[in-house]
């Protein structure tokens, strides 16, 4: 593997050290949230149905089970929840 540029290495180390405390707090919070399971298992049926409306059949079954992750790039709140699928054909 190629050696990292010295300046870039120093900057990376500074950023890593400067953000250490806040990153540790963030990771602790994420671990606690992950241990509670997906949030969708705690929402009402109406909200879950609305969130899954634009999904395909396989995704709907997976979301209904509530066990797996549901990761997406969200461009806007309405795009995420819209059953009209405004980004349905987006690559």
């Amino acid at each position: 593997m190629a050696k990292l540029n010295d300046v870039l290495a120093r900057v990376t180390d500074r950023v890593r050290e400067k953000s250490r405390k806040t990153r540790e707090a963030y990771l602790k919070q994420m671990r606690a949230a992950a241990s509670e399971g997906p949030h969708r298992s705690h929402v009402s049926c109406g909200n879950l149905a609305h969130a899954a409306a634009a999904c395909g059949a396989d995704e709907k079954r997976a979301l209904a089970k509530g066990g797996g992750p549901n990761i997406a790039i969200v461009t806007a709140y309405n795009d995420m929840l819209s059953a009209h699928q405004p980004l349905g054909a987006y690559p």
Side-chain angles (χ1 to χ4, degrees):
M1 180 176 216
K3 183 178 182 278
L4 186 61
N5 175 284
D6 290 337
V7 173
L8 186 55
R10 285 194 305 272
V11 170
T12 301
D13 289 343
R14 259 194 352 250
V15 169
R16 186 177 289 128
E17 184 55 33
K18 193 171 186 175
S19 64
R20 185 176 48 78
K21 288 181 184 178
T22 54
R23 180 162 173 74
E24 286 173 4
Y26 168 78
L27 292 174
K28 181 179 178 183
Q29 184 181 9
M30 292 300 102
R31 283 189 292 273
S35 71
E36 296 173 8
H39 183 67
R40 68 181 167 272
S41 61
H42 306 289
V43 299
S44 71
C45 295
N47 285 338
L48 181 58
H50 195 121
C55 294
D58 290 340
E59 290 84 5
K60 286 180 184 179
R61 281 191 290 277
L63 286 171
K65 289 179 182 177
N70 181 24
I71 301 171
I73 297 172
V74 180
T75 59
Y77 184 74
N78 190 53
D79 292 346
M80 177 180 71
L81 296 179
S82 178
H84 303 287
Q85 302 181 24
L87 299 176
Y90 188 78

